[in-house]
Amino acid sequence: MVALGLVGVVPGAASAVEGEDWWQRHLGVSAANQAGADGRGRTVAVIDSAITPDLPMFEGVDLRVREPSFCASDGTIPATSSRLTAATSHGTNTAGLVARTAPKATILFYATDDPASNTRQGGVCSGGAIPRAIVQAVSDGADVISISMSGNSRWDYQAAVAWAQHQGVVIVSSLPNDFSDIRDSDEASRINGVVAVAAHDAQGRFPGDPGVIGVSVPYGRVTVRAPGVGMLIQGDMNTGNWSATRTSMGTSYATPVTAGVLAAVWSKYPDATGSQMIQALIQSAGNGYGLEYDSRVGYGLLSLERMLQRDPTTYPDVNPLVQPEPQFERDISAADIENAVFPPWMASETPMPSPTSTDWFPEPGPAPGGGVPGWVWLLVVAVVLVGAVVAVVIVVVRRK
């Protein structure tokens, strides 16, 4: 599948992450890949900040990058850069984790930030980067969408997610690392039907537990916990050297690992539907929890080995994360998914304003094409200015 607007990449020269990391051994990735669960025939879309595609970690990987970035609808901001920045580090490593889990999968990358950014704007620089990228990924043939970004959106997250689920696409989204961070007020993981991922370490412990660095996630919609603490990633931010490796942590890394596992298992059982893959995910999760939901653990810890033990087509073809009626503010109903249509705002090319450092979240305004036309406001301003000039002239004449 060659997706419109996506370009292939050629590996460059820098050191790759060598050997198996703890999470690959923990999940049994090598054994699964050798047994045919390697992602072949599956497409994973990664929606993230930006990417440096010409690294050996992508050698032999069918990686396709959508240009330009969704950061600006006028096409002036690229999706890629060879520089090591906060934006390229995050996006490159999330895509790399998918490749290290499902190496034969096609990976589509959609940038939502400026690759030169060292602050990572959270995918909000065009106001609707992430929802637009979700819909585009569905159009480009994604089976699984991995989102390790959050940020306020003037576009309709619910419409994008409902459309993806209507098309049978599985969305995997990271939960906030720190729920008190206001910039994490919008993320796909807050919508039901989406696989919401939190992290655990090599001992199965969670951030916030004794001896584990990081902030716990006091949020009751964890679907699964996946490896995300003590992860070996590429690039030394202190030196700007892509060749170096370091350890890091976060739900951002647990999410692409989960997406990669879904793609790997799905390649082994290609007849399964997206809903059945989610069933397999939660039915096989465990660590003593089974299907008894726990607010901190969700349905349990991600298990590639257990997912492969049962054909997902034996599960009901129903997304178990969707209730008949919405339970929370941002929920969508089963009827919303069934009746979803291609979001009409995808046809609009109206640029969205970039947030400033003091205005991360502009108040929602009318959708493009709606509200009061711009020429009306210009006419009002012109009338006010003319009135002011006339008033000044009258005052001057009277004084004379």
Side-chain angles (χ1 to χ4, degrees):
M1 182 272 296
V2 179
L4 183 64
L6 296 163
V7 295
V9 297
V10 180
S15 296
V17 176
E18 297 179 356
E20 280 194 316
D21 201 357
W22 72 264
W23 62 269
Q24 292 170 300
R25 295 189 295 272
H26 168 78
L27 292 173
V29 171
S30 289
N33 291 167
Q34 292 171 9
D38 54 11
R40 190 182 305 272
R42 293 292 136 185
T43 299
V44 180
V46 177
I47 299 174
D48 213 282
S49 46
I51 191 171
T52 299
D54 55 345
L55 296 175
M57 72 168 75
F58 299 120
E59 185 173 356
V61 177
D62 184 9
L63 171 64
R64 310 179 190 190
V65 181
R66 190 265 189 189
E67 288 284 4
S69 169
F70 277 99
C71 191
S73 61
D74 59 6
T76 59
I77 299 178
T80 67
S81 173
S82 60
R83 290 180 53 205
L84 176 57
T85 65
T88 56
S89 173
H90 194 270
T92 300
N93 280 291
T94 54
L97 287 168
V98 174
R100 292 166 67 189
T101 311
K104 297 301 182 181
T106 294
I107 300 176
L108 312 179
F109 189 89
Y110 303 86
T112 59
D113 269 344
D114 185 338
S117 172
N118 266 312
T119 58
R120 285 191 61 237
Q121 298 183 73
V124 299
C125 53
S126 68
I130 295 175
R132 276 181 173 270
I134 290 172
V135 178
Q136 187 63 56
V138 174
S139 297
D140 290 338
D143 299 302
V144 181
I145 299 177
S146 176
I147 309 173
S148 293
M149 301 286 287
S150 60
N152 183 271
S153 172
R154 288 179 61 186
W155 299 105
D156 190 346
Y157 259 85
Q158 284 91 338
V161 171
W163 174 244
Q165 293 188 39
H166 177 81
Q167 295 295 96
V169 179
V170 177
I171 298 180
V172 185
S173 180
S174 60
L175 287 161
N177 287 308
D178 181 357
F179 194 67
S180 64
D181 188 346
I182 189 172
R183 286 176 293 180
D184 286 327
S185 65
D186 260 338
E187 59 278 317
S189 59
R190 299 186 79 171
I191 303 174
N192 58 329
V194 172
V195 176
V197 184
H200 73 76
D201 71 359
Q203 286 73 47
R205 301 172 301 178
F206 318 137
D209 285 353
V212 185
I213 298 174
V215 182
S216 63
V217 182
Y219 186 69
R221 187 167 273 170
V222 180
T223 303
V224 292
R225 292 267 179 178
V229 180
M231 308 291 280
L232 189 64
I233 66 171
Q234 194 82 35
D236 184 345
M237 291 294 296
N238 294 321
T239 63
N241 180 11
W242 270 117
S243 300
T245 57
R246 61 188 175 93
T247 57
S248 187
M249 63 156 288
T251 60
S252 286
Y253 304 125
T255 298
V257 169
T258 304
V261 164
L262 282 163
V265 176
W266 211 340
S267 68
K268 184 72 171 180
Y269 300 102
D271 293 331
T273 66
S275 294
Q276 288 171 328
M277 291 305 303
I278 297 176
Q279 291 272 8
L281 179 73
I282 69 171
Q283 294 275 358
S284 62
N287 201 28
Y289 292 91
L291 280 178
E292 294 183 8
Y293 188 83
D294 181 273
S295 62
R296 294 185 68 232
V297 186
Y299 290 100
L301 306 187
L302 176 70
S303 176
L304 172 57
E305 181 180 3
R306 286 195 293 272
M307 282 187 73
L308 288 169
Q309 290 175 355
R310 179 175 173 181
D311 187 338
T313 61
T314 62
Y315 293 113
D317 188 11
V318 177
N319 187 335
L321 306 179
V322 177
Q323 297 78 31
E325 295 297 330
Q327 303 293 310
F328 297 94
E329 178 186 358
R330 303 190 181 204
D331 279 356
I332 52 180
S333 67
D336 292 332
I337 297 171
E338 182 180 356
N339 300 321
V341 297
F342 185 85
W345 38 256
M346 275 298 286
S348 169
E349 293 298 328
T350 305
M352 284 294 170
S354 297
T356 65
S357 58
T358 57
D359 183 23
W360 277 95
F361 300 114
E363 288 298 318
V372 181
W375 67 267
V376 174
W377 291 114
L378 290 175
L379 180 61
V380 171
V381 172
V383 170
V384 171
L385 289 175
V386 170
V389 171
V390 171
V392 170
V393 171
I394 292 174
V395 170
V396 172
V397 170
R398 285 180 176 176
R399 285 181 176 176
K400 287 182 178 180

